[in-house]
Every structure is written in structure tokens, then in C-alpha cells.
Amino acid sequence: MAAEQSFDAYRLSEEHEAIREAVREVCTAKVAPNATEADETGEFPKASYDALRAADFHAPHVPVEYGGAGADALATAIVIEEVARACASSSLIPAVNKLGTMPLLLAGSDELKRRYLTPVASGEVMFSYCLSEPEAGSDAAAMTTRAVRDGDHWVLNGVKRWITNAGVSEFYTVFATTDPTARSRGISAFVVEKSDPGVSFGAPEKKLGIKGSPTREVYLDNVRIPADRMIGAEGTGFGTAMRTLDHTRVTIAAQAVGIAQGALDYARGYVAERRQFGKAIAEFQGVQFMLADMGMKLEAARQLTYAAAGRSERGDADLTYFGAAAKCFASDAAMEITTDAVQLLGGYGYTRDYPVERMMRDAKITQIYEGTNQVQRIVMARQLLKD
Ligand SMILES: Cc1cc2nc3c(=O)[nH]c(=O)nc-3n(C[C@H](O)[C@H](O)[C@H](O)COP(=O)(O)OP(=O)(O)OC[C@H]3O[C@@H](n4cnc5c(N)ncnc54)[C@H](O)[C@@H]3O)c2cc1C
């Protein structure tokens, strides 16, 4: 997967289309079959992880120099979209590997990147991102997790909340305040390992959707780490956290597009088969108009997502705006499309015998994490009003 790609939003390059086909093949055969079970049991879908790892789709964004596939931002978005079409929980494998490692890629030393990215690229380990806390969600700069310097070490204490893949991941980017008086300018980023003494995890959260993706608290109790585990300079952590989200909101948009595509595909098949009043319900104009709206919103979301992916790859100045817009638009569209898919299946859609109610529950999280959609609108408005 080469980095040189065209980002023509109107037509994908042959290479990007080939990536989509390859991911779809793996997901249809080896990821989709585990989706219902992951939802029912709440267990991490290890078989999906193994299938994605075998095909090198578990962390496709890791650059070639660190042993990765070197997928550009658009190719990574396509991978996440296609995995989400089959199983939203599994799509958090490539998505959160990117989220967890992006601070390193943006601000880490070469030595730190080499040490921590290589095992992610090989699939030996996963990487999580620890920003949120019980009392610091939308207002992430209000975090109280503290890092105190002690000779050649930092000592971390605090609680991180809602951490995706916590317990399964081996490595964690942890944001902590090194100077509580300086608020966002006093926050620094660190790599913490699961095996560091003092690291432990809360019970898995009981969630509405993405049930196969573990979400747990991460407890840091006098966790003593070498000073060279700081990512970038002291006090630059909050900036790194926000720059990370600029890039990874594009991947949440891609996840939303994938979930919505899965629901539309299922609903299209269903309305062609289901008969009422002596004909297929697809023959009723009321049903056709719903499908048309679903398809229209989905394609608009996809195009905005790919346009944002191009900006992520190039590091354009308007990425902050596009990342927020793509995430907000695509997740709102996914919520509408999956809800309409349930409607098109009637009573059957409301049962767990059909996959669309799972897709509707899974879509909801895309409006909440990596900044709620209210926060995305704040980000967009700020960009529009600056200057
Ligand atoms: C399943 C799941 C996985 C997650 N994974 C991770 C992860 O891996 N790493 C991580 O760090 N975090 C993660 N999160 C945390 C997630 O990013 C936060 O839940 C989210 O940012 C919202 O914070 P909060 O839950 O504290 O809500 P709050 O900030 O308390 O918000 C509550 C409501 O108030 C609204 N609101 C808040 N401030 C404003 C404002 N200024 N204007 C208008 N409305 C506002 C919000 O939009 C929301 O509707 C995850 C969350 C979930 C549920």
C-alpha cells in the first residue's frame, strides 16, 4: 500500500479499490460471521483480530519504516469502513490502533516510535488512547491524572475512563498533567505499558452497542516509568491529543459510513424479498423514497469522509474543520440510516434475529466518542469564525 495516492473524491484510484475488495473478502468470510456472537457475549472478537492480522489490516496505517503496511489515510479509512460494514466492534481494532499510536507518529522520538510501533505493526500487541476521565470528558483539559518527575522517572497517578480495548491492549498513550496550574499547557503525553507495576483495569462497561469492543477504566497507582517514555516535550501533550483527534475523527467517520452501508445493504435485500399486499414491499413508493434518502445521505457522508482523509494524508491546514465535519455528518447520517433500516424491516427489524438493530445500536457511539457531535459543532464554528 503506497503512500503516493490520488485523493480524487469522485473516483478512487485502482489501488484503493483493490484494497476495498481485499478487505471486503476477508471481512465477509472471517469477520462478519463473528459479529452477532461478539454482540451477544460482549467478548472481544479474537477470531476477527486474527483474520485482520493475517491479512495485515489490523493496523494498516503504521509506516513501512516501522514494519507496517504504510497505508495512507484514505486506504486506512477504507479498511475501517469495510470492517465496520461487517462488524462495528471489530472495526475498533484498526481504528484504535491508529488512535493510540497517532501521538507517537505526530510527536514521538524515532527511538520511541521504533520501540512501540514495530510490535503493533506485526500484530503482536494493540495500542489504546487514554484521554478521558470520570470528571473530564468534553472538557478534557480538566483532567486530574498527575505525573510527577522523580529523577530519571515520572510517577503517574489517576483514573482514565472509557478506554477502548483497555486490558486487551499492551500499550497506552496516557495524557497527564505535569503542571496543574497551566491547564491545557501543563499536560504531557506518555507511553504506559500494561505490565508497568501499578497499572490495573476496571470492570468492562455494560454498553448499548459495540459490545465486542472492551471499554474499561485504567487505574494508575504510582506507576513509575522512565523519563524517555514522554511523547514530545513536557507541556505539549494536549496539543498532541487534539492533533491526533483531527486525524482520527476521519476514521470514526469511516466507521459510521461502514455501519450505515451494512444496514442499507441488508435493508435493500430485505425489501426485495418481503411481500405485503401481494407484492414486494420494494414496489411501494414510500419504501423506495426511504431507500433513496438512505443512499443519498450515505454517499454524501462517504465523499466528505474521503475528502477529509485526503486532508489528513497531506496535513492540510483545514483538517481540523474537515475532520470534525466528516465525523459529525457521517455519524448523524449513520444514526438516521440504521434507524430507517430497522423501520424497513418492520417488527423483524426490532428483533435480534436480524442484524439491523445491532447496527443501529452500534451507530450511536459514533455520535459520542472522539468528541460528541455537539463538540464537533463547536470545533467547526470556531474554525469558521476565526480570523
Ligand atoms: C464506548 C466508548 C468508548 C470510548 N473510548 C475512549 C477512548 O478509547 N479513549 C478516551 O480517551 N475516551 C474514550 N471515550 C470517551 C468519550 O470520548 C467521551 O465519552 C466523550 O468525549 C464525552 O465525554 P463525557 O462522556 O464525559 O460527556 P460530557 O462531556 O459530560 O457531555 C455530556 C453531554 O453534554 C454535552 N456538552 C458538554 N459540553 C458541551 C458544550 N460546551 N456545549 C454543548 N454541549 C456540551 C455533550 O455533547 C453531551 O451531550 C469513549 C466513550 C465511550 C462511551
Side-chain angles (χ1 to χ4, degrees):
M1 290 184 244
E4 318 298 312
Q5 300 292 345
S6 108
F7 287 101
D8 176 359
Y10 305 102
R11 196 178 58 211
L12 294 183
S13 69
E14 276 177 27
E15 196 171 0
H16 285 112
E17 286 297 2
I19 290 166
R20 182 192 301 286
E21 258 177 59
V23 189
R24 188 167 289 198
E25 204 177 306
V26 171
C27 289
T28 302
K30 295 183 177 157
V31 174
N34 314 319
T36 303
E37 193 187 328
D39 182 58
E40 295 278 338
T41 62
E43 300 280 323
F44 177 73
K46 177 74 173 47
S48 299
Y49 183 77
D50 292 343
L52 294 174
R53 181 182 178 185
D56 227 356
F57 294 137
H58 60 288
H61 70 289
V62 178
V64 175
E65 56 197 299
Y66 304 111
D72 58 52
L74 179 56
T76 302
I78 291 169
V79 170
I80 292 165
E81 175 189 335
E82 286 299 323
V83 180
R85 178 176 169 270
C87 172
S89 290
S90 300
S91 71
L92 284 156
I93 293 165
V96 173
N97 270 335
K98 180 161 181 176
L99 176 66
T101 56
M102 207 62 208
L104 268 180
L105 284 163
L106 291 171
S109 66
D110 195 52
E111 144 62 14
L112 217 49
K113 287 188 210 172
R114 205 158 294 285
R115 197 179 341 152
Y116 287 107
L117 294 177
T118 314
V120 177
S122 69
E124 247 169 275
V125 304
M126 293 203 296
F127 218 124
S128 291
Y129 177 89
C130 305
L131 179 67
S132 306
E133 296 185 1
E135 302 303 329
S138 300
D139 184 10
M143 69 177 62
T144 56
T145 293
R146 186 82 166 93
V148 176
R149 183 90 189 210
D150 180 20
D152 289 343
H153 288 77
W154 286 95
V155 180
L156 275 64
N157 278 288
V159 178
K160 290 294 174 180
R161 178 138 209 178
W162 311 116
I163 306 310
T164 300
N165 292 342
V168 184
S169 287
E170 201 59 41
F171 301 144
Y172 299 80
T173 294
V174 171
F175 298 92
T177 175
T178 40
D179 178 3
T181 60
R183 224 176 111 91
S184 65
R185 288 202 185 85
I187 291 169
S188 305
F190 302 88
V191 178
V192 170
E193 301 184 11
K194 181 181 172 178
S195 57
D196 287 329
V199 175
S200 62
F201 305 98
E205 303 290 347
K206 298 178 187 132
K207 307 193 297 290
L208 175 73
I210 55 161
K211 294 188 180 192
S213 169
T215 315
R216 300 169 70 175
E217 284 187 325
V218 175
Y219 305 125
L220 304 156
D221 182 13
N222 283 320
V223 177
R224 195 179 162 78
I225 58 171
D228 69 0
R229 294 237 216 115
M230 183 182 272
I231 302 171
E234 191 177 335
T236 61
F238 194 73
T240 303
M242 295 302 113
R243 281 198 291 143
T244 293
L245 295 177
D246 284 346
H247 290 276
T248 57
R249 282 172 181 157
V250 180
T251 66
I252 300 305
Q255 181 187 38
V257 168
I259 296 169
Q261 184 70 62
L264 177 58
D265 289 348
Y266 197 90
R268 275 170 56 200
Y270 185 88
V271 297
E273 293 291 321
R274 173 70 175 167
R275 296 181 72 80
Q276 289 292 282
F277 302 97
K279 48 171 104 162
I281 58 170
E283 291 183 42
F284 298 117
Q285 199 176 48
V287 167
Q288 292 174 0
F289 280 9
M290 283 181 73
L291 280 175
D293 281 344
M294 291 159 80
M296 173 180 69
K297 286 176 198 165
L298 176 55
E299 202 47 46
R302 177 177 286 117
Q303 294 299 330
L304 183 54
T305 301
Y306 292 178
R311 282 159 174 84
S312 166
E313 183 62 25
R314 293 187 298 264
D316 288 353
D318 55 0
L319 170 62
T320 300
Y321 178 82
F322 268 79
K327 189 270 190 193
C328 188
F329 188 86
S331 58
D332 283 351
M335 202 61 238
E336 290 170 20
I337 292 164
T338 54
T339 305
D340 282 351
V342 170
Q343 189 71 17
L344 285 173
L345 266 72
Y348 297 95
Y350 200 66
T351 70
R352 296 217 300 260
D353 298 333
Y354 291 82
V356 287
E357 63 82 36
R358 163 170 56 80
M359 294 164 176
M360 182 178 122
R361 288 185 284 106
D362 287 344
K364 184 64 200 169
I365 191 60
T366 63
Q367 294 181 304
I368 295 173
Y369 57 18
E370 298 212 15
T372 64
N373 281 3
Q374 285 91 337
V375 167
Q376 306 307 321
R377 287 176 167 95
I378 294 171
V379 171
M380 284 184 275
R382 248 187 224 146
Q383 295 294 312
L384 288 168
L385 293 171
K386 82 178 179 192
D387 302 326

